[in-house]
Amino acid sequence: MAKLPLPAAREATPTEADTEMRRSPLPERGGVLKPAFFLTVLAVAAGLGLGVHLVRYAQIADAGQQQDAAAGGEHDPLTSRLYRLKPIVTNLTEPADVWLRLDAAIVFEDEMPNSEIVSAEISEDLLAFLKTLKVGQLEGATQLQHLREDLRDRVAIRSGGDVRDLIIESLVVQ
């Protein structure tokens, strides 16, 4: 077998035109910065628009609440009167050797001419109710919340709706 001569290898020297074609074009600074600037301006505008919308919505909602409060006859807290009840001390039903002391205050809607009489009646009613309690009814946060609601209901019934709230200042079980 005879070997065939191979054609001589061509020397490939790249020309300047070939070199320029092979190089990738450098990105222009403006090509990257322009979209970034546009998106930043768009985000700022959207944020401002949302902020203005939320402020308007809050103002409308606040105005609606003020109208509802005026129409519903909501009472001004500045006209309310706080009256502290004398401490109530009693023993519990079970066990009989456990004592309870309640310091409370009641909030009247307006100044009442017979506030002394109403507060004495409320104290008497609270004393009668507290005498019926057992220690188990005072254990835990949920039980104390139920006690507070029960006392509020009794105060509202006894006062005929003249008392707005009952504030428990202290409750000691010993």
Side-chain angles (χ1 to χ4, degrees):
M1 273 221 261
K3 286 189 175 181
L4 294 173
L6 291 172
R10 287 192 281 173
E11 287 185 25
T13 56
T15 62
E16 288 181 25
D18 291 336
T19 310
E20 284 183 25
M21 287 177 57
R22 289 185 189 163
R23 285 188 200 163
S24 60
L26 293 175
E28 294 181 19
R29 281 189 150 187
V32 174
L33 292 179
K34 286 179 184 177
F37 179 73
F38 175 74
L39 290 176
T40 303
V41 169
L42 184 65
V44 168
L48 286 174
L50 181 65
V52 168
H53 174 72
L54 290 176
V55 166
R56 285 185 187 164
Y57 181 75
Q59 289 173 345
I60 291 170
D62 188 40
Q65 286 178 351
Q66 288 177 356
Q67 287 176 354
D68 291 344
E74 192 171 300
H75 300 285
D76 185 15
L78 298 176
T79 62
S80 299
R81 303 289 184 252
L82 181 72
Y83 186 83
R84 283 193 169 78
L85 299 175
K86 293 180 182 176
I88 300 170
V89 179
T90 184
N91 61 334
L92 299 179
T93 301
E94 194 175 295
D97 61 339
V98 174
W99 289 83
L100 179 128
R101 177 186 168 122
L102 175 71
D103 290 323
I106 52 177
V107 180
F108 288 106
E109 287 297 335
D110 294 318
E111 193 168 325
M112 293 182 52
N114 59 352
S115 62
E116 295 286 330
I117 296 170
V118 172
S119 63
E121 289 175 351
I122 289 172
S123 293
E124 180 183 353
D125 195 31
L126 294 179
L127 176 66
F129 177 72
L130 293 173
K131 281 183 176 254
T132 64
L133 294 178
K134 298 179 182 177
V135 173
Q137 293 174 303
L138 300 173
E139 293 177 348
T142 306
Q143 296 297 332
L144 289 175
Q145 183 65 31
H146 290 306
L147 173 68
R148 182 175 183 221
E149 290 171 2
D150 290 340
L151 293 177
R152 275 186 170 176
D153 290 343
R154 288 187 163 274
V155 166
I157 291 169
R158 177 59 79 173
S159 69
D162 291 334
V163 174
R164 199 168 104 196
D165 196 9
L166 172 78
I167 301 169
I168 298 176
E169 293 176 349
S170 69
L171 179 69
V172 179
V173 180
Q174 184 175 343

